[in-house]
Each structure stands twice: as structure tokens, then as C-alpha cells.
Amino acid sequence: MDEQLRLYYSYVAKADQSEAAAERVELGSIDNGKAIAREMGLKPGAPMPPGAYMRSQVIGYQVIKQSDDEVSAWLLSRVTQKAGVTVQERGDYARLLFGAKWEDDDWKLSVLATRHAQDATAGEPRPKIVAPGDAAFNATGWTAIRQAS
């Protein structure tokens, strides 16, 4: 929960920060933790078994609009989870729309920039979810995020 609040204050634009929003993040992290535990077949609140995890890694993006102080993009993520050492890993893909603004020498997630992204994509089809390595990945408009070696 403390980690979620640290991330909130680090990555969200100052104009979008409030005590009420921070409380929603805090309560949401509790609910999310319970949902993840249930999804893994575990009792909410119980400690995670050895080897259990849930990860989300951004693997691709599509820029919608960009300027010197605002950018909007679709992000393609691979979400994986494993409920223990002997349990097989499960994975799926997620596609999310984000907007960010340049603030204090860094990019910050912004409600206004995200609204601009929503307006820019209104009535447009969402980009297809295509795995990297699939022939349609680049043709669909995704740009892969390469891991450093």
C-alpha cells in the first residue's frame, strides 16, 4: 500500500494529486490485492506462497499525439501471474490509453492529457492486441519496447 502511494506521488501530475485521490489509490490497492489473491486461488490477506507473483510489463506503444509538453499513447502490456513455485505461469495482454505532460523536468501521468487522448481516439477503433513476434505486430502500428541486454 505504501508503495502504491509512493508511485502515485512520483508519477501523477501535481494538478491531479489530492488527498481524496490518494485515499482512492490506497483503498484500491487493498481491493486489488484481494482480487489478485482470489484470482490465484488464494485466501485474501494470506501471505503469498513462495514463487508467487503478478507482473505487468509494457512491451509496445502507439503514439497518438505528441508535443513538447504533452504526449498520448496506447500502451500494450504483457500481464503474467504465477500462484506458486509449482504452478504454471499464466499470461495475457492488456491495452491501455495514457496521457502525460512534462512537469518539473519529467513526464507525469495527467488526467487532462488522458482526456485529450480520449478525445483524439473517440470513434476510432482501438488498436488490435498483437503479440511481439507476430507478423501483424508492426503492421498493426505497434512499436516494440526492447529490453536492455
Side-chain angles (χ1 to χ4, degrees), residues 35-63:
I36 290 169
R38 277 192 224 79
E39 199 172 296
M40 291 183 165
L42 306 170
K43 182 179 176 184
M48 297 288 267
Y53 60 81
M54 181 165 199
R55 297 182 184 129
S56 179
Q57 179 181 10
V58 178
I59 57 172
Y61 65 93
Q62 287 187 22
V63 174

mmCIF file with all atom_site columns, all heavy atoms in Angstrom, residues 35-63:
data_model
loop_
_atom_site.group_PDB
_atom_site.id
_atom_site.type_symbol
_atom_site.label_atom_id
_atom_site.label_alt_id
_atom_site.label_comp_id
_atom_site.label_asym_id
_atom_site.label_entity_id
_atom_site.label_seq_id
_atom_site.pdbx_PDB_ins_code
_atom_site.Cartn_x
_atom_site.Cartn_y
_atom_site.Cartn_z
_atom_site.occupancy
_atom_site.B_iso_or_equiv
_atom_site.pdbx_formal_charge
_atom_site.auth_seq_id
_atom_site.auth_comp_id
_atom_site.auth_asym_id
_atom_site.auth_atom_id
_atom_site.pdbx_PDB_model_num
ATOM 1   N N   . ALA A 1 35 ? -8.341  -9.059  -4.955  1.00 0.00 ? 35 ALA A N   1
ATOM 2   C CA  . ALA A 1 35 ? -8.773  -9.627  -6.242  1.00 0.00 ? 35 ALA A CA  1
ATOM 3   C C   . ALA A 1 35 ? -7.688  -10.512 -6.842  1.00 0.00 ? 35 ALA A C   1
ATOM 4   O O   . ALA A 1 35 ? -7.973  -11.593 -7.362  1.00 0.00 ? 35 ALA A O   1
ATOM 5   C CB  . ALA A 1 35 ? -9.143  -8.503  -7.212  1.00 0.00 ? 35 ALA A CB  1
ATOM 6   N N   . ILE A 1 36 ? -6.430  -10.069 -6.748  1.00 0.00 ? 36 ILE A N   1
ATOM 7   C CA  . ILE A 1 36 ? -5.327  -10.874 -7.272  1.00 0.00 ? 36 ILE A CA  1
ATOM 8   C C   . ILE A 1 36 ? -5.219  -12.181 -6.502  1.00 0.00 ? 36 ILE A C   1
ATOM 9   O O   . ILE A 1 36 ? -5.044  -13.248 -7.092  1.00 0.00 ? 36 ILE A O   1
ATOM 10  C CB  . ILE A 1 36 ? -4.000  -10.083 -7.219  1.00 0.00 ? 36 ILE A CB  1
ATOM 11  C CG1 . ILE A 1 36 ? -4.041  -8.947  -8.247  1.00 0.00 ? 36 ILE A CG1 1
ATOM 12  C CG2 . ILE A 1 36 ? -2.805  -10.989 -7.460  1.00 0.00 ? 36 ILE A CG2 1
ATOM 13  C CD1 . ILE A 1 36 ? -2.907  -7.952  -8.109  1.00 0.00 ? 36 ILE A CD1 1
ATOM 14  N N   . ALA A 1 37 ? -5.346  -12.124 -5.181  1.00 0.00 ? 37 ALA A N   1
ATOM 15  C CA  . ALA A 1 37 ? -5.282  -13.341 -4.369  1.00 0.00 ? 37 ALA A CA  1
ATOM 16  C C   . ALA A 1 37 ? -6.384  -14.311 -4.777  1.00 0.00 ? 37 ALA A C   1
ATOM 17  O O   . ALA A 1 37 ? -6.130  -15.507 -4.983  1.00 0.00 ? 37 ALA A O   1
ATOM 18  C CB  . ALA A 1 37 ? -5.396  -12.996 -2.882  1.00 0.00 ? 37 ALA A CB  1
ATOM 19  N N   . ARG A 1 38 ? -7.619  -13.814 -4.919  1.00 0.00 ? 38 ARG A N   1
ATOM 20  C CA  . ARG A 1 38 ? -8.737  -14.680 -5.315  1.00 0.00 ? 38 ARG A CA  1
ATOM 21  C C   . ARG A 1 38 ? -8.480  -15.285 -6.695  1.00 0.00 ? 38 ARG A C   1
ATOM 22  O O   . ARG A 1 38 ? -8.743  -16.460 -6.925  1.00 0.00 ? 38 ARG A O   1
ATOM 23  C CB  . ARG A 1 38 ? -10.048 -13.894 -5.328  1.00 0.00 ? 38 ARG A CB  1
ATOM 24  C CG  . ARG A 1 38 ? -10.695 -13.780 -3.979  1.00 0.00 ? 38 ARG A CG  1
ATOM 25  C CD  . ARG A 1 38 ? -12.135 -13.254 -4.121  1.00 0.00 ? 38 ARG A CD  1
ATOM 26  N NE  . ARG A 1 38 ? -12.443 -12.245 -3.137  1.00 0.00 ? 38 ARG A NE  1
ATOM 27  C CZ  . ARG A 1 38 ? -12.106 -10.965 -3.137  1.00 0.00 ? 38 ARG A CZ  1
ATOM 28  N NH1 . ARG A 1 38 ? -11.425 -10.475 -4.123  1.00 0.00 ? 38 ARG A NH1 1
ATOM 29  N NH2 . ARG A 1 38 ? -12.447 -10.144 -2.182  1.00 0.00 ? 38 ARG A NH2 1
ATOM 30  N N   . GLU A 1 39 ? -7.982  -14.454 -7.622  1.00 0.00 ? 39 GLU A N   1
ATOM 31  C CA  . GLU A 1 39 ? -7.702  -14.915 -8.980  1.00 0.00 ? 39 GLU A CA  1
ATOM 32  C C   . GLU A 1 39 ? -6.675  -16.048 -8.985  1.00 0.00 ? 39 GLU A C   1
ATOM 33  O O   . GLU A 1 39 ? -6.714  -16.940 -9.815  1.00 0.00 ? 39 GLU A O   1
ATOM 34  C CB  . GLU A 1 39 ? -7.177  -13.734 -9.796  1.00 0.00 ? 39 GLU A CB  1
ATOM 35  C CG  . GLU A 1 39 ? -7.265  -13.916 -11.280 1.00 0.00 ? 39 GLU A CG  1
ATOM 36  C CD  . GLU A 1 39 ? -6.896  -12.630 -12.002 1.00 0.00 ? 39 GLU A CD  1
ATOM 37  O OE1 . GLU A 1 39 ? -7.614  -11.636 -11.847 1.00 0.00 ? 39 GLU A OE1 1
ATOM 38  O OE2 . GLU A 1 39 ? -5.881  -12.651 -12.717 1.00 0.00 ? 39 GLU A OE2 1
ATOM 39  N N   . MET A 1 40 ? -5.756  -16.004 -8.025  1.00 0.00 ? 40 MET A N   1
ATOM 40  C CA  . MET A 1 40 ? -4.724  -17.038 -7.921  1.00 0.00 ? 40 MET A CA  1
ATOM 41  C C   . MET A 1 40 ? -5.182  -18.221 -7.075  1.00 0.00 ? 40 MET A C   1
ATOM 42  O O   . MET A 1 40 ? -4.413  -19.147 -6.848  1.00 0.00 ? 40 MET A O   1
ATOM 43  C CB  . MET A 1 40 ? -3.448  -16.440 -7.310  1.00 0.00 ? 40 MET A CB  1
ATOM 44  C CG  . MET A 1 40 ? -2.743  -15.461 -8.188  1.00 0.00 ? 40 MET A CG  1
ATOM 45  S SD  . MET A 1 40 ? -1.226  -14.919 -7.365  1.00 0.00 ? 40 MET A SD  1
ATOM 46  C CE  . MET A 1 40 ? -0.352  -14.176 -8.708  1.00 0.00 ? 40 MET A CE  1
ATOM 47  N N   . GLY A 1 41 ? -6.430  -18.172 -6.605  1.00 0.00 ? 41 GLY A N   1
ATOM 48  C CA  . GLY A 1 41 ? -6.940  -19.264 -5.784  1.00 0.00 ? 41 GLY A CA  1
ATOM 49  C C   . GLY A 1 41 ? -6.454  -19.206 -4.342  1.00 0.00 ? 41 GLY A C   1
ATOM 50  O O   . GLY A 1 41 ? -6.464  -20.215 -3.646  1.00 0.00 ? 41 GLY A O   1
ATOM 51  N N   . LEU A 1 42 ? -6.042  -18.030 -3.894  1.00 0.00 ? 42 LEU A N   1
ATOM 52  C CA  . LEU A 1 42 ? -5.538  -17.860 -2.532  1.00 0.00 ? 42 LEU A CA  1
ATOM 53  C C   . LEU A 1 42 ? -6.560  -17.111 -1.689  1.00 0.00 ? 42 LEU A C   1
ATOM 54  O O   . LEU A 1 42 ? -7.420  -16.410 -2.212  1.00 0.00 ? 42 LEU A O   1
ATOM 55  C CB  . LEU A 1 42 ? -4.221  -17.068 -2.556  1.00 0.00 ? 42 LEU A CB  1
ATOM 56  C CG  . LEU A 1 42 ? -3.130  -17.624 -3.468  1.00 0.00 ? 42 LEU A CG  1
ATOM 57  C CD1 . LEU A 1 42 ? -1.987  -16.627 -3.588  1.00 0.00 ? 42 LEU A CD1 1
ATOM 58  C CD2 . LEU A 1 42 ? -2.631  -18.955 -2.951  1.00 0.00 ? 42 LEU A CD2 1
ATOM 59  N N   . LYS A 1 43 ? -6.428  -17.254 -0.383  1.00 0.00 ? 43 LYS A N   1
ATOM 60  C CA  . LYS A 1 43 ? -7.315  -16.538 0.525   1.00 0.00 ? 43 LYS A CA  1
ATOM 61  C C   . LYS A 1 43 ? -6.823  -15.099 0.661   1.00 0.00 ? 43 LYS A C   1
ATOM 62  O O   . LYS A 1 43 ? -5.644  -14.875 0.967   1.00 0.00 ? 43 LYS A O   1
ATOM 63  C CB  . LYS A 1 43 ? -7.319  -17.219 1.900   1.00 0.00 ? 43 LYS A CB  1
ATOM 64  C CG  . LYS A 1 43 ? -8.250  -16.577 2.880   1.00 0.00 ? 43 LYS A CG  1
ATOM 65  C CD  . LYS A 1 43 ? -8.235  -17.311 4.211   1.00 0.00 ? 43 LYS A CD  1
ATOM 66  C CE  . LYS A 1 43 ? -9.121  -16.575 5.195   1.00 0.00 ? 43 LYS A CE  1
ATOM 67  N NZ  . LYS A 1 43 ? -9.069  -17.182 6.515   1.00 0.00 ? 43 LYS A NZ  1
ATOM 68  N N   . PRO A 1 44 ? -7.693  -14.097 0.403   1.00 0.00 ? 44 PRO A N   1
ATOM 69  C CA  . PRO A 1 44 ? -7.269  -12.702 0.544   1.00 0.00 ? 44 PRO A CA  1
ATOM 70  C C   . PRO A 1 44 ? -6.717  -12.429 1.947   1.00 0.00 ? 44 PRO A C   1
ATOM 71  O O   . PRO A 1 44 ? -7.269  -12.869 2.945   1.00 0.00 ? 44 PRO A O   1
ATOM 72  C CB  . PRO A 1 44 ? -8.553  -11.904 0.306   1.00 0.00 ? 44 PRO A CB  1
ATOM 73  C CG  . PRO A 1 44 ? -9.371  -12.795 -0.575  1.00 0.00 ? 44 PRO A CG  1
ATOM 74  C CD  . PRO A 1 44 ? -9.071  -14.202 -0.084  1.00 0.00 ? 44 PRO A CD  1
ATOM 75  N N   . GLY A 1 45 ? -5.601  -11.728 1.983   1.00 0.00 ? 45 GLY A N   1
ATOM 76  C CA  . GLY A 1 45 ? -4.965  -11.400 3.261   1.00 0.00 ? 45 GLY A CA  1
ATOM 77  C C   . GLY A 1 45 ? -3.923  -12.414 3.697   1.00 0.00 ? 45 GLY A C   1
ATOM 78  O O   . GLY A 1 45 ? -3.084  -12.122 4.539   1.00 0.00 ? 45 GLY A O   1
ATOM 79  N N   . ALA A 1 46 ? -3.980  -13.624 3.142   1.00 0.00 ? 46 ALA A N   1
ATOM 80  C CA  . ALA A 1 46 ? -2.990  -14.653 3.496   1.00 0.00 ? 46 ALA A CA  1
ATOM 81  C C   . ALA A 1 46 ? -1.678  -14.332 2.788   1.00 0.00 ? 46 ALA A C   1
ATOM 82  O O   . ALA A 1 46 ? -1.675  -13.724 1.719   1.00 0.00 ? 46 ALA A O   1
ATOM 83  C CB  . ALA A 1 46 ? -3.490  -16.035 3.067   1.00 0.00 ? 46 ALA A CB  1
ATOM 84  N N   . PRO A 1 47 ? -0.564  -14.725 3.369   1.00 0.00 ? 47 PRO A N   1
ATOM 85  C CA  . PRO A 1 47 ? 0.716   -14.471 2.697   1.00 0.00 ? 47 PRO A CA  1
ATOM 86  C C   . PRO A 1 47 ? 0.802   -15.227 1.378   1.00 0.00 ? 47 PRO A C   1
ATOM 87  O O   . PRO A 1 47 ? 0.256   -16.322 1.240   1.00 0.00 ? 47 PRO A O   1
ATOM 88  C CB  . PRO A 1 47 ? 1.762   -14.963 3.693   1.00 0.00 ? 47 PRO A CB  1
ATOM 89  C CG  . PRO A 1 47 ? 1.039   -15.733 4.734   1.00 0.00 ? 47 PRO A CG  1
ATOM 90  C CD  . PRO A 1 47 ? -0.415  -15.408 4.647   1.00 0.00 ? 47 PRO A CD  1
ATOM 91  N N   . MET A 1 48 ? 1.492   -14.625 0.443   1.00 0.00 ? 48 MET A N   1
ATOM 92  C CA  . MET A 1 48 ? 1.673   -15.267 -0.862  1.00 0.00 ? 48 MET A CA  1
ATOM 93  C C   . MET A 1 48 ? 2.634   -16.436 -0.699  1.00 0.00 ? 48 MET A C   1
ATOM 94  O O   . MET A 1 48 ? 3.624   -16.333 0.021   1.00 0.00 ? 48 MET A O   1
ATOM 95  C CB  . MET A 1 48 ? 2.253   -14.272 -1.858  1.00 0.00 ? 48 MET A CB  1
ATOM 96  C CG  . MET A 1 48 ? 1.344   -13.091 -2.149  1.00 0.00 ? 48 MET A CG  1
ATOM 97  S SD  . MET A 1 48 ? -0.065  -13.546 -3.144  1.00 0.00 ? 48 MET A SD  1
ATOM 98  C CE  . MET A 1 48 ? 0.563   -13.190 -4.749  1.00 0.00 ? 48 MET A CE  1
ATOM 99  N N   . PRO A 1 49 ? 2.364   -17.547 -1.383  1.00 0.00 ? 49 PRO A N   1
ATOM 100 C CA  . PRO A 1 49 ? 3.278   -18.691 -1.290  1.00 0.00 ? 49 PRO A CA  1
ATOM 101 C C   . PRO A 1 49 ? 4.597   -18.387 -2.007  1.00 0.00 ? 49 PRO A C   1
ATOM 102 O O   . PRO A 1 49 ? 4.648   -17.507 -2.864  1.00 0.00 ? 49 PRO A O   1
ATOM 103 C CB  . PRO A 1 49 ? 2.507   -19.813 -1.986  1.00 0.00 ? 49 PRO A CB  1
ATOM 104 C CG  . PRO A 1 49 ? 1.496   -19.152 -2.829  1.00 0.00 ? 49 PRO A CG  1
ATOM 105 C CD  . PRO A 1 49 ? 1.201   -17.832 -2.210  1.00 0.00 ? 49 PRO A CD  1
ATOM 106 N N   . PRO A 1 50 ? 5.635   -19.122 -1.666  1.00 0.00 ? 50 PRO A N   1
ATOM 107 C CA  . PRO A 1 50 ? 6.921   -18.927 -2.348  1.00 0.00 ? 50 PRO A CA  1
ATOM 108 C C   . PRO A 1 50 ? 6.755   -19.062 -3.864  1.00 0.00 ? 50 PRO A C   1
ATOM 109 O O   . PRO A 1 50 ? 6.039   -19.941 -4.341  1.00 0.00 ? 50 PRO A O   1
ATOM 110 C CB  . PRO A 1 50 ? 7.802   -20.047 -1.802  1.00 0.00 ? 50 PRO A CB  1
ATOM 111 C CG  . PRO A 1 50 ? 7.191   -20.399 -0.482  1.00 0.00 ? 50 PRO A CG  1
ATOM 112 C CD  . PRO A 1 50 ? 5.706   -20.169 -0.655  1.00 0.00 ? 50 PRO A CD  1
ATOM 113 N N   . GLY A 1 51 ? 7.393   -18.167 -4.585  1.00 0.00 ? 51 GLY A N   1
ATOM 114 C CA  . GLY A 1 51 ? 7.347   -18.215 -6.041  1.00 0.00 ? 51 GLY A CA  1
ATOM 115 C C   . GLY A 1 51 ? 6.133   -17.552 -6.672  1.00 0.00 ? 51 GLY A C   1
ATOM 116 O O   . GLY A 1 51 ? 6.006   -17.517 -7.886  1.00 0.00 ? 51 GLY A O   1
ATOM 117 N N   . ALA A 1 52 ? 5.226   -17.008 -5.861  1.00 0.00 ? 52 ALA A N   1
ATOM 118 C CA  . ALA A 1 52 ? 4.027   -16.360 -6.396  1.00 0.00 ? 52 ALA A CA  1
ATOM 119 C C   . ALA A 1 52 ? 4.357   -14.928 -6.828  1.00 0.00 ? 52 ALA A C   1
ATOM 120 O O   . ALA A 1 52 ? 5.131   -14.239 -6.181  1.00 0.00 ? 52 ALA A O   1
ATOM 121 C CB  . ALA A 1 52 ? 2.916   -16.357 -5.350  1.00 0.00 ? 52 ALA A CB  1
ATOM 122 N N   . TYR A 1 53 ? 3.765   -14.513 -7.949  1.00 0.00 ? 53 TYR A N   1
ATOM 123 C CA  . TYR A 1 53 ? 3.961   -13.139 -8.400  1.00 0.00 ? 53 TYR A CA  1
ATOM 124 C C   . TYR A 1 53 ? 2.893   -12.759 -9.410  1.00 0.00 ? 53 TYR A C   1
ATOM 125 O O   . TYR A 1 53 ? 2.202   -13.606 -9.968  1.00 0.00 ? 53 TYR A O   1
ATOM 126 C CB  . TYR A 1 53 ? 5.346   -12.949 -9.029  1.00 0.00 ? 53 TYR A CB  1
ATOM 127 C CG  . TYR A 1 53 ? 5.620   -13.820 -10.229 1.00 0.00 ? 53 TYR A CG  1
ATOM 128 C CD1 . TYR A 1 53 ? 5.151   -13.483 -11.499 1.00 0.00 ? 53 TYR A CD1 1
ATOM 129 C CD2 . TYR A 1 53 ? 6.355   -14.992 -10.102 1.00 0.00 ? 53 TYR A CD2 1
ATOM 130 C CE1 . TYR A 1 53 ? 5.404   -14.287 -12.588 1.00 0.00 ? 53 TYR A CE1 1
ATOM 131 C CE2 . TYR A 1 53 ? 6.620   -15.795 -11.196 1.00 0.00 ? 53 TYR A CE2 1
ATOM 132 C CZ  . TYR A 1 53 ? 6.136   -15.425 -12.439 1.00 0.00 ? 53 TYR A CZ  1
ATOM 133 O OH  . TYR A 1 53 ? 6.389   -16.226 -13.522 1.00 0.00 ? 53 TYR A OH  1
ATOM 134 N N   . MET A 1 54 ? 2.785   -11.467 -9.640  1.00 0.00 ? 54 MET A N   1
ATOM 135 C CA  . MET A 1 54 ? 1.995   -10.912 -10.730 1.00 0.00 ? 54 MET A CA  1
ATOM 136 C C   . MET A 1 54 ? 2.817   -9.761  -11.288 1.00 0.00 ? 54 MET A C   1
ATOM 137 O O   . MET A 1 54 ? 3.282   -8.911  -10.536 1.00 0.00 ? 54 MET A O   1
ATOM 138 C CB  . MET A 1 54 ? 0.641   -10.424 -10.266 1.00 0.00 ? 54 MET A CB  1
ATOM 139 C CG  . MET A 1 54 ? -0.194  -9.872  -11.390 1.00 0.00 ? 54 MET A CG  1
ATOM 140 S SD  . MET A 1 54 ? -1.894  -9.726  -10.892 1.00 0.00 ? 54 MET A SD  1
ATOM 141 C CE  . MET A 1 54 ? -2.682  -9.636  -12.476 1.00 0.00 ? 54 MET A CE  1
ATOM 142 N N   . ARG A 1 55 ? 3.014   -9.754  -12.603 1.00 0.00 ? 55 ARG A N   1
ATOM 143 C CA  . ARG A 1 55 ? 3.836   -8.737  -13.250 1.00 0.00 ? 55 ARG A CA  1
ATOM 144 C C   . ARG A 1 55 ? 3.092   -8.151  -14.438 1.00 0.00 ? 55 ARG A C   1
ATOM 145 O O   . ARG A 1 55 ? 2.358   -8.856  -15.127 1.00 0.00 ? 55 ARG A O   1
ATOM 146 C CB  . ARG A 1 55 ? 5.147   -9.338  -13.757 1.00 0.00 ? 55 ARG A CB  1
ATOM 147 C CG  . ARG A 1 55 ? 6.027   -9.874  -12.692 1.00 0.00 ? 55 ARG A CG  1
ATOM 148 C CD  . ARG A 1 55 ? 7.332   -10.398 -13.276 1.00 0.00 ? 55 ARG A CD  1
ATOM 149 N NE  . ARG A 1 55 ? 8.126   -10.998 -12.202 1.00 0.00 ? 55 ARG A NE  1
ATOM 150 C CZ  . ARG A 1 55 ? 8.645   -12.188 -12.241 1.00 0.00 ? 55 ARG A CZ  1
ATOM 151 N NH1 . ARG A 1 55 ? 8.490   -12.954 -13.290 1.00 0.00 ? 55 ARG A NH1 1
ATOM 152 N NH2 . ARG A 1 55 ? 9.347   -12.647 -11.223 1.00 0.00 ? 55 ARG A NH2 1
ATOM 153 N N   . SER A 1 56 ? 3.341   -6.889  -14.671 1.00 0.00 ? 56 SER A N   1
ATOM 154 C CA  . SER A 1 56 ? 2.841   -6.221  -15.868 1.00 0.00 ? 56 SER A CA  1
ATOM 155 C C   . SER A 1 56 ? 4.013   -5.486  -16.495 1.00 0.00 ? 56 SER A C   1
ATOM 156 O O   . SER A 1 56 ? 4.662   -4.673  -15.837 1.00 0.00 ? 56 SER A O   1
ATOM 157 C CB  . SER A 1 56 ? 1.724   -5.241  -15.508 1.00 0.00 ? 56 SER A CB  1
ATOM 158 O OG  . SER A 1 56 ? 1.266   -4.588  -16.676 1.00 0.00 ? 56 SER A OG  1
ATOM 159 N N   . GLN A 1 57 ? 4.305   -5.794  -17.745 1.00 0.00 ? 57 GLN A N   1
ATOM 160 C CA  . GLN A 1 57 ? 5.442   -5.207  -18.429 1.00 0.00 ? 57 GLN A CA  1
ATOM 161 C C   . GLN A 1 57 ? 4.969   -4.596  -19.746 1.00 0.00 ? 57 GLN A C   1
ATOM 162 O O   . GLN A 1 57 ? 4.361   -5.276  -20.573 1.00 0.00 ? 57 GLN A O   1
ATOM 163 C CB  . GLN A 1 57 ? 6.491   -6.281  -18.699 1.00 0.00 ? 57 GLN A CB  1
ATOM 164 C CG  . GLN A 1 57 ? 7.699   -5.779  -19.421 1.00 0.00 ? 57 GLN A CG  1
ATOM 165 C CD  . GLN A 1 57 ? 8.712   -6.890  -19.687 1.00 0.00 ? 57 GLN A CD  1
ATOM 166 O OE1 . GLN A 1 57 ? 8.442   -8.068  -19.490 1.00 0.00 ? 57 GLN A OE1 1
ATOM 167 N NE2 . GLN A 1 57 ? 9.876   -6.509  -20.146 1.00 0.00 ? 57 GLN A NE2 1
ATOM 168 N N   . VAL A 1 58 ? 5.240   -3.298  -19.928 1.00 0.00 ? 58 VAL A N   1
ATOM 169 C CA  . VAL A 1 58 ? 4.894   -2.644  -21.183 1.00 0.00 ? 58 VAL A CA  1
ATOM 170 C C   . VAL A 1 58 ? 5.832   -3.184  -22.261 1.00 0.00 ? 58 VAL A C   1
ATOM 171 O O   . VAL A 1 58 ? 7.048   -3.182  -22.099 1.00 0.00 ? 58 VAL A O   1
ATOM 172 C CB  . VAL A 1 58 ? 5.008   -1.108  -21.072 1.00 0.00 ? 58 VAL A CB  1
ATOM 173 C CG1 . VAL A 1 58 ? 4.691   -0.451  -22.414 1.00 0.00 ? 58 VAL A CG1 1
ATOM 174 C CG2 . VAL A 1 58 ? 4.072   -0.573  -19.985 1.00 0.00 ? 58 VAL A CG2 1
ATOM 175 N N   . ILE A 1 59 ? 5.242   -3.672  -23.354 1.00 0.00 ? 59 ILE A N   1
ATOM 176 C CA  . ILE A 1 59 ? 6.034   -4.292  -24.417 1.00 0.00 ? 59 ILE A CA  1
ATOM 177 C C   . ILE A 1 59 ? 5.910   -3.561  -25.749 1.00 0.00 ? 59 ILE A C   1
ATOM 178 O O   . ILE A 1 59 ? 6.652   -3.857  -26.682 1.00 0.00 ? 59 ILE A O   1
ATOM 179 C CB  . ILE A 1 59 ? 5.654   -5.776  -24.597 1.00 0.00 ? 59 ILE A CB  1
ATOM 180 C CG1 . ILE A 1 59 ? 4.158   -5.913  -24.882 1.00 0.00 ? 59 ILE A CG1 1
ATOM 181 C CG2 . ILE A 1 59 ? 6.060   -6.587  -23.375 1.00 0.00 ? 59 ILE A CG2 1
ATOM 182 C CD1 . ILE A 1 59 ? 3.722   -7.300  -25.256 1.00 0.00 ? 59 ILE A CD1 1
ATOM 183 N N   . GLY A 1 60 ? 4.969   -2.617  -25.836 1.00 0.00 ? 60 GLY A N   1
ATOM 184 C CA  . GLY A 1 60 ? 4.797   -1.882  -27.082 1.00 0.00 ? 60 GLY A CA  1
ATOM 185 C C   . GLY A 1 60 ? 3.985   -0.622  -26.864 1.00 0.00 ? 60 GLY A C   1
ATOM 186 O O   . GLY A 1 60 ? 3.340   -0.458  -25.830 1.00 0.00 ? 60 GLY A O   1
ATOM 187 N N   . TYR A 1 61 ? 4.037   0.266   -27.856 1.00 0.00 ? 61 TYR A N   1
ATOM 188 C CA  . TYR A 1 61 ? 3.282   1.519   -27.752 1.00 0.00 ? 61 TYR A CA  1
ATOM 189 C C   . TYR A 1 61 ? 2.900   2.016   -29.132 1.00 0.00 ? 61 TYR A C   1
ATOM 190 O O   . TYR A 1 61 ? 3.498   1.633   -30.140 1.00 0.00 ? 61 TYR A O   1
ATOM 191 C CB  . TYR A 1 61 ? 4.087   2.584   -27.010 1.00 0.00 ? 61 TYR A CB  1
ATOM 192 C CG  . TYR A 1 61 ? 5.331   3.019   -27.739 1.00 0.00 ? 61 TYR A CG  1
ATOM 193 C CD1 . TYR A 1 61 ? 5.312   4.118   -28.595 1.00 0.00 ? 61 TYR A CD1 1
ATOM 194 C CD2 . TYR A 1 61 ? 6.525   2.324   -27.592 1.00 0.00 ? 61 TYR A CD2 1
ATOM 195 C CE1 . TYR A 1 61 ? 6.452   4.501   -29.287 1.00 0.00 ? 61 TYR A CE1 1
ATOM 196 C CE2 . TYR A 1 61 ? 7.671   2.716   -28.268 1.00 0.00 ? 61 TYR A CE2 1
ATOM 197 C CZ  . TYR A 1 61 ? 7.626   3.806   -29.117 1.00 0.00 ? 61 TYR A CZ  1
ATOM 198 O OH  . TYR A 1 61 ? 8.752   4.178   -29.793 1.00 0.00 ? 61 TYR A OH  1
ATOM 199 N N   . GLN A 1 62 ? 1.879   2.880   -29.149 1.00 0.00 ? 62 GLN A N   1
ATOM 200 C CA  . GLN A 1 62 ? 1.464   3.608   -30.339 1.00 0.00 ? 62 GLN A CA  1
ATOM 201 C C   . GLN A 1 62 ? 1.215   5.045   -29.912 1.00 0.00 ? 62 GLN A C   1
ATOM 202 O O   . GLN A 1 62 ? 0.306   5.303   -29.118 1.00 0.00 ? 62 GLN A O   1
ATOM 203 C CB  . GLN A 1 62 ? 0.173   3.040   -30.931 1.00 0.00 ? 62 GLN A CB  1
ATOM 204 C CG  . GLN A 1 62 ? 0.321   1.729   -31.618 1.00 0.00 ? 62 GLN A CG  1
ATOM 205 C CD  . GLN A 1 62 ? -0.962  1.304   -32.320 1.00 0.00 ? 62 GLN A CD  1
ATOM 206 O OE1 . GLN A 1 62 ? -1.828  2.118   -32.636 1.00 0.00 ? 62 GLN A OE1 1
ATOM 207 N NE2 . GLN A 1 62 ? -1.091  0.008   -32.567 1.00 0.00 ? 62 GLN A NE2 1
ATOM 208 N N   . VAL A 1 63 ? 2.015   5.970   -30.409 1.00 0.00 ? 63 VAL A N   1
ATOM 209 C CA  . VAL A 1 63 ? 1.816   7.387   -30.081 1.00 0.00 ? 63 VAL A CA  1
ATOM 210 C C   . VAL A 1 63 ? 0.596   7.894   -30.828 1.00 0.00 ? 63 VAL A C   1
ATOM 211 O O   . VAL A 1 63 ? 0.420   7.636   -32.016 1.00 0.00 ? 63 VAL A O   1
ATOM 212 C CB  . VAL A 1 63 ? 3.058   8.221   -30.454 1.00 0.00 ? 63 VAL A CB  1
ATOM 213 C CG1 . VAL A 1 63 ? 2.804   9.704   -30.254 1.00 0.00 ? 63 VAL A CG1 1
ATOM 214 C CG2 . VAL A 1 63 ? 4.257   7.776   -29.629 1.00 0.00 ? 63 VAL A CG2 1
#
